[in-house]
Amino acid sequence: MQSISQLGFNPPASVFVVLTIIFVYLVGLRWEAVMLLFAGSSVGLLNVAVKIIVHRQRPSADLVDVFAPLDDYSFPSGHVLLFTVFLGFLLFLVYTLMPRSWMRTCGLGVLGLLIALVGLSRVYLGQHWPSDVIAGYLLGSLCLALTIYIYRKQRPRIFVNQPLAPGKAQPND
């Protein structure tokens, strides 16, 4: 649980997001890289805005077993937001762009497992209330749905000549 949770803290989270965006861009998926940047930055802004508005304190050691106390606000879980939106969009891209293969199946499994386990890890480590995690999944799902909507709506207008996936022909070809 600690290992999964560590992936959501900075600097590992920021490094992973930036390297993923660069990798996706370098393999030729420019619009996907732009949308991953949108997903990563929008989740950060959403997390900060909601935490400022709600001001909910984290669980304390006198109520639950806290692995390591944190100083910022609790609601919503930023880890869950990040994993749901960023890894959720990556999961969407893997599902829609990769051909069926064992690599695609493994990628979907790993991404789905990380998204599912991060919420459990945050409660297990005593750093969030269950409602923080639930809110993270709900807000993250809304942000993910918006990201996918923008991606699908704007892609044909912005990146007309980009193939659907590396090595694949355009549907009009």
Side-chain angles (χ1 to χ4, degrees):
M1 290 296 176
Q2 294 172 13
S3 298
I4 292 169
S5 196
Q6 279 303 118
L7 297 173
F9 285 110
N10 279 319
S14 296
V15 169
F16 174 75
V17 167
V18 169
L19 290 179
T20 301
I21 292 168
I22 291 169
F23 174 77
V24 169
Y25 183 84
L26 290 177
V27 298
L29 299 171
R30 292 180 187 93
W31 180 234
E32 289 75 6
V34 168
M35 290 308 299
L36 281 168
L37 179 62
F38 172 79
S41 54
S42 66
V43 74
L45 293 173
L46 178 63
N47 183 43
V48 169
V50 175
K51 284 184 189 252
I52 288 172
I53 293 167
V54 176
H55 284 259
R56 183 180 206 185
Q57 298 300 315
R58 291 185 180 273
S60 60
D62 59 330
L63 295 174
V64 297
D65 191 21
V66 176
F67 175 72
L70 299 172
D71 294 333
D72 62 339
Y73 293 118
S74 169
F75 186 91
S77 170
H79 283 65
V80 172
L81 272 172
L82 176 66
F83 280 48
T84 302
V85 179
F86 194 79
L87 294 184
F89 189 66
L90 269 179
L91 188 140
F92 167 78
L93 292 176
V94 167
Y95 181 78
T96 58
L97 299 180
M98 286 184 72
R100 290 182 187 213
S101 66
W102 67 270
M103 284 180 50
R104 176 184 174 210
T105 302
C106 288
L108 294 173
V110 167
L111 291 169
L113 193 62
L114 286 171
I115 293 167
L117 290 179
V118 71
L120 293 173
S121 76
R122 302 307 289 151
V123 174
Y124 176 80
L125 295 173
Q127 295 175 332
H128 282 284
W129 301 105
S131 56
D132 300 338
V133 168
I134 292 168
Y137 281 123
L138 291 174
L139 287 172
S141 295
L142 290 173
C143 193
L144 175 60
L146 175 65
T147 303
I148 292 171
Y149 175 79
I150 293 169
Y151 168 78
R152 297 184 88 195
K153 200 73 166 162
Q154 296 301 316
R155 187 182 188 289
R157 296 182 187 136
I158 296 173
F159 287 87
V160 178
N161 296 322
Q162 177 182 311
L164 294 176
K168 290 188 177 182
Q170 287 286 12
N172 300 352
D173 292 346

